[in-house]
Amino acid sequence: MANVSSSNEKLIRLLEEQPAYSNQQNLELSKKLGETLKQNEALAEQLTSPINKDSIWISIR
C-alpha cells in the first residue's frame, strides 16, 4: 500500500508542476514566434521594395 501512496504522491507532484512547465514553454514559443514574425516582415519589405523588384527582374532576364 505504501508503494501506491508513493506513486500517487509522485503523480500529484508532476501534475502540479505541469502548468508551470507549460507556461514556460509557451513563453519561449511566443518569443520565437515574435522573432519569426519580425523576420517575415523584413523579408516582405525587401521583396516589395522597388529596388529589389528591379533587381529580381534583371536576375530573371
Side-chain angles (χ1 to χ4, degrees), residues 40-58:
N40 286 346
E41 289 170 357
L43 290 170
E45 179 66 29
Q46 290 176 3
L47 289 173
T48 58
S49 72
I51 295 171
N52 281 334
K53 283 183 182 175
D54 292 340
S55 299
I56 292 169
W57 180 249
I58 291 168

Side-chain angles (χ1 to χ4, degrees), residues 6-43:
S6 176
S7 294
N8 286 343
E9 289 174 13
K10 288 178 184 177
L11 180 59
I12 291 169
R13 189 179 74 249
L14 289 172
L15 290 172
E16 289 173 344
E17 294 171 357
Q18 185 61 38
Y21 177 74
S22 294
N23 287 342
Q24 182 62 37
Q25 282 185 317
N26 287 342
L27 288 173
E28 292 170 9
L29 290 172
S30 292
K31 182 179 176 183
K32 288 179 183 179
L33 179 59
E35 292 169 358
T36 301
L37 288 172
K38 286 180 186 178
Q39 290 174 346
N40 286 346
E41 289 170 357
L43 290 170

